[in-house]
């Protein structure tokens, strides 16, 4: 008969998680990419829309960024918006929600105010009457 093995993180004593909640916590720790100076390019490529080129750029930004102002994931994204908009956009993508953390804080999506779409542009003006594109009496096509 066949025996399957499940990939699962074990605790320090080598025991599996005690319950479903503990399993989910351990699974999140494994699948979440922690954006820190110790992250690798391979780790970053696990994120949606981050290829090797963006991963190397993000690595250099992270090495510079772990220096100062960014205390939260939102602060980090704001600092990226200033000089590295494409990286910020890729990290903010909905497929990356809950997939990365900055300083231990998992980013779960934008705040409602920053997530709103911009207001739609004014609708195009209607064509002027008598421009020839209106509907006529409609003899239509048909067989007689």
């Amino acid at each position: 008969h066949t025996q399957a093995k499940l990939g699962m993180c074990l605790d320090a004593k080598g025991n599996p998680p005690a319950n479903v909640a503990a399993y989910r916590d351990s699974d999140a720790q494994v699948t979440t990419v922690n954006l820190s100076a110790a992250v690798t390019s391979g780790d970053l490529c696990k994120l949606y829309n981050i290829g090797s080129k963006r991963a190397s750029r993000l690595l250099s930004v992270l090495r510079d960024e772990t220096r100062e102002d960014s205390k939260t994931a939102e602060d980090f994204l704001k600092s990226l918006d200033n000089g590295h908009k494409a990286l910020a956009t890729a990290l903010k993508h909905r497929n990356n929600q809950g997939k990365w953390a900055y300083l231990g804080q998992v980013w779960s999506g934008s705040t409602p105010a920053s997530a709103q779409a911009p207001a739609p542009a004014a609708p195009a003006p209607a064509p002027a009457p008598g421009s020839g594109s209106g509907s006529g009496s409609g003899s239509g096509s048909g067989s007689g």
Side-chain angles (χ1 to χ4, degrees), residues 14 46 83:
K46 294 176 187 174

Side-chain angles (χ1 to χ4, degrees), residues 72-79 92 100 105 107 109-111 114:
T72 67
E74 287 293 329
D75 288 344
F76 176 66
L77 284 172
K78 285 177 189 171
S79 71
K92 288 178 186 177
W100 62 270
Q105 179 189 18
W107 186 78
S110 295
T111 57
S114 63

Side-chain angles (χ1 to χ4, degrees), residues 58-116:
L58 186 53
L59 276 176
S60 67
V61 170
L62 279 169
R63 291 194 177 99
D64 293 342
E65 190 58 39
T66 49
R67 59 190 179 345
E68 51 187 65
D69 298 336
S70 301
K71 303 287 185 227
T72 67
E74 287 293 329
D75 288 344
F76 176 66
L77 284 172
K78 285 177 189 171
S79 71
L80 277 181
D81 270 335
N82 292 334
H84 305 278
K85 192 105 175 140
L87 290 175
T89 301
L91 288 174
K92 288 178 186 177
H93 193 279
R94 63 185 167 87
N95 289 352
N96 282 331
Q97 290 180 4
K99 303 284 187 194
W100 62 270
Y102 183 77
L103 298 178
Q105 179 189 18
V106 176
W107 186 78
S108 57
S110 295
T111 57
S114 63
Q116 290 177 352

Side-chain angles (χ1 to χ4, degrees), residues 22-69:
Y23 172 76
R24 287 190 180 129
D25 288 344
S26 69
D27 187 46
Q29 290 172 1
V30 171
T31 58
T32 302
V33 176
N34 190 12
L35 303 183
S36 67
V39 74
T40 66
S41 180
D43 293 334
L44 294 174
C45 286
K46 294 176 187 174
L47 294 172
Y48 179 79
N49 211 14
I50 301 283
S52 58
K53 220 176 207 183
R54 280 191 178 153
S56 62
R57 195 173 316 134
L58 186 53
L59 276 176
S60 67
V61 170
L62 279 169
R63 291 194 177 99
D64 293 342
E65 190 58 39
T66 49
R67 59 190 179 345
E68 51 187 65
D69 298 336

